[in-house]
Amino acid sequence: MYSEKVMEHFMQPKNVGEIENADGIGEVGNAKCGDIMKMYLKIEGEVITDVKFKTFGCGSAIASSSMATELIKGKTVTEAMNLTNKAVADALDGLPPVKMHCSVLAEQAIKSALIDYSHKSGVKIEGLEDVDFDDEHLHDLPEED
Amino acid sequence: MGKMIYMDHSATTPVKKEVLDEMLPYFSEYYGNPSSIYQLSNQSKIAIDTARQRVAKALGAKKTEIYFTGGGSESDNWAIKGVAFKNFDEGNHIITTKIEHHAVLHTCEYLETKGFEVTYLEVDEYGMINLEDLENAIKDTTILISIMFANNEIGTIQPIKEIGAIAKKHGVLFHTDAVQAVGSVEIDVKDMNIDLLSLSAHKLYGPKGVGALYIRQGIKIDPLITGGAQERNKRAGTENIAGIVGLGKAIELAYDNLNENNSKLISLRERLIKNIYEKIDYVRLNGHPSERLPGNVNFCFQFIEGEALLLSLDMMGIAGSSGSACTSGSLDPSHVLLAIGLPHEIAHGSLRLSLGTANTEEEVDYVADSLVGIVDRLRKMSPLYEKVQGGN
C-alpha cells in the first residue's frame, strides 16, 4: 500500500521531538479525525536552522511530517512558505489517494508554525495572510495520483 | 523477521488440510452439475446432501432448513431483504442494533429508502443490548428483529436465547448474523428460538465465497437471487460444490473439537489481555470481560492511531487489525467503538487481535512484548501523550 520511502520515514522518522524556545510552533488537525501535527521551528535570520515535529496519526501522517521537516531544514522562510503538499507527497514517492490529506496537513503545519513565528517576531512573510486552514474538509480533497 | 504471526482470525482463517482434502475431488473429478440427470452429477448431489446434514447438525436444525449461499454477506442480505419484502403487508418495522456488521447495517439503511422503518438499538459500554429496550421497541408493525450473535470487532456475545424468547412472545421473526459465532459458540436454533441464522465458511477454517442461511421451516421469505430451481427454488445458481463440501467439513470439525479449541483459545486470550494490561499504561479492553468470543482481544491504546500500530506490528511479522478510520480511508473510526461510548480520539487507537487454534503462548508473549516497544515509540512521537506527561 505504501512506498518504501513512506515506510522508511514511518519506521525511522527524522526530526522527531520538540525545540525549546522555538521561534515558531504550529499545530494542525484534530484528534477527532485521527491526526494532529505539531511543528517546531528554529529560525536565524532568514534561515530555518532546526525543525522538529510530533504527530498523532497514521503511518503516512508520520512519514509526511518527517519528510516535510527534511524538506525545509536549512531552507529559507520563503522556501518553507512555498512548500506544497504535492512536493511532500512526491518526495515520498507518492501517497495513496485517501492519504493525500496527510501531506496537506504537513504543509499546513509548517505554515501554521510560520504564522506563529511571524506573530512573535513581527517579520512579515509574503503569502501567509492568504493561508486558510479548513481541517474539516481536508478529507474531502479530490483524489490525486 | 522470521515467520508471520497471524492474529486476524476474525477477518479470515486458513483452510484446514482435512477440509481442503475433502474439497479437491469436486473440482476436476466429480465436477457434474447436480441438476443434471446422469450418474456423474449424482456424486455432487450426495456431496451437497452430506454437507447440508453436517451444517444442520451443528446448529440443531433440520437438513431442509439449511440453504447454501455465497457467504455471510449474502446470507444477511437475503434474510433481511427476503423477510422484509415478503412481509411488507404485515408491517414495515425492523429492529436491529448499532453494532451490526455492515452487511446488516447497510442492508437496513437500504430498506429505509424503500419504505421500511428501522430501529437501531443502543448498546452498553460492553457492547450488550438491553432486553427491555428491545421489548419496548417492538410495535404492531414490527416484522423482524436482526441482532448479531457475536460482534466481529469487540467479540461481545449477545443474550441470544433471551432475544429469541422475546421475539417469539411477540410473534416477530428473529434473524441473527452468527458469522463470528458459528464454530466458536454452542448454537441450538430451536432452543434459542432463532428463525434465521447467517453463517460463513471462511471464518471457521473453511473456504471463502460460501456460507449458509438457516431458515426455520414454514417461514415466509422472498428469494434474493432468482433463476434456476437450486436450493429448493430459494437460491438460484449452480451450487459451489467444492465450497459447500468445505463448509460441511469445516463446521463438523469445529463442533467436534469445540471444547478443546475453546479452552485453548480462552487461555491464550486471557494471557494476552493480562500481558497487555500489565505491561502498557493507558489501555482499555473493549468488549465484555466474560461474554466474549474465545479468540477475541480488542484494546484501545490511548494517544496513538491504530493504523500506525498495525503497520508497526506488520513490520515485526504480526498480522492484526484495527477499527481505525485510517485503515478504511473514512473519517470516522469504528461504529462499534463509538456505539460503546468511546470518544473519537480513543476509538482511533484500537487494535483487534483475534486468536486461532494454531497460535501459541510464545506467540502471545512475543506480540505483547512487541506492543510494548511499538506503543512506546509511537507515543513518544505523539503530541497528545506529551500533554498527558506534561500534566503529571
Side-chain angles (χ1 to χ4, degrees), chain A residues 6-132:
Chain A
V6 170
M7 285 312 290
E8 189 186 309
H9 277 264
F10 167 62
M11 290 306 286
Q12 274 118 28
K14 305 284 196 322
N15 309 311
V16 177
E18 295 152 47
I19 297 175
E20 264 186 67
N21 306 317
D23 297 305
I25 300 174
E27 184 174 318
V28 293
N30 63 66
K32 198 168 176 272
C33 291
D35 33 34
I36 298 177
M37 274 182 206
K38 198 167 177 184
M39 203 71 81
Y40 300 79
L41 302 177
K42 190 83 201 158
I43 298 171
E44 283 170 31
E46 276 285 288
V47 179
I48 296 169
T49 54
D50 198 10
V51 47
K52 298 269 189 215
F53 82 87
K54 282 211 166 172
T55 291
F56 161 77
C58 61
S60 64
I62 290 167
S64 295
S65 314
S66 168
M67 183 52 86
T69 56
E70 283 290 274
L71 289 173
I72 62 165
K73 203 171 180 176
K75 299 286 167 59
T76 65
V77 167
T78 312
E79 282 171 318
M81 181 60 217
N82 291 330
L83 180 77
T84 63
N85 79 295
K86 193 169 180 306
V88 176
D90 287 349
L92 288 168
D93 294 337
L95 285 171
V98 296
K99 299 291 185 181
M100 280 305 285
H101 72 271
C102 295
S103 63
V104 176
L105 216 54
E107 177 194 321
Q108 293 191 343
I110 290 169
K111 291 197 163 74
S112 168
L114 288 172
I115 288 172
D116 183 52
Y117 164 68
S118 176
H119 286 167
K120 282 180 181 161
S121 65
V123 175
K124 288 261 180 290
I125 303 173
E126 204 178 329
L128 259 193
E129 58 278 3
D130 303 329
V131 175
D132 176 30

Side-chain angles (χ1 to χ4, degrees), chain B residues 78 81-82 85-86 221-227 233-236:
Chain B
W78 182 14
K81 288 176 187 163
F85 288 129
K86 186 75 179 179
I221 185 166
D222 273 352
L224 182 71
I225 296 174
T226 49
N233 277 316
K234 283 204 164 67
R235 201 280 190 182

Side-chain angles (χ1 to χ4, degrees), chain A residues 2 32 54-55 59 99, chain B residues 307 326 331 348 377 381 386:
Chain A
Y2 288 135
K32 198 168 176 272
K54 282 211 166 172
T55 291
K99 299 291 185 181
Chain B
E307 193 236 38
C326 264
L331 195 63
H348 275 297
R377 183 180 92 86
M381 270 191 253
E386 154 199 324

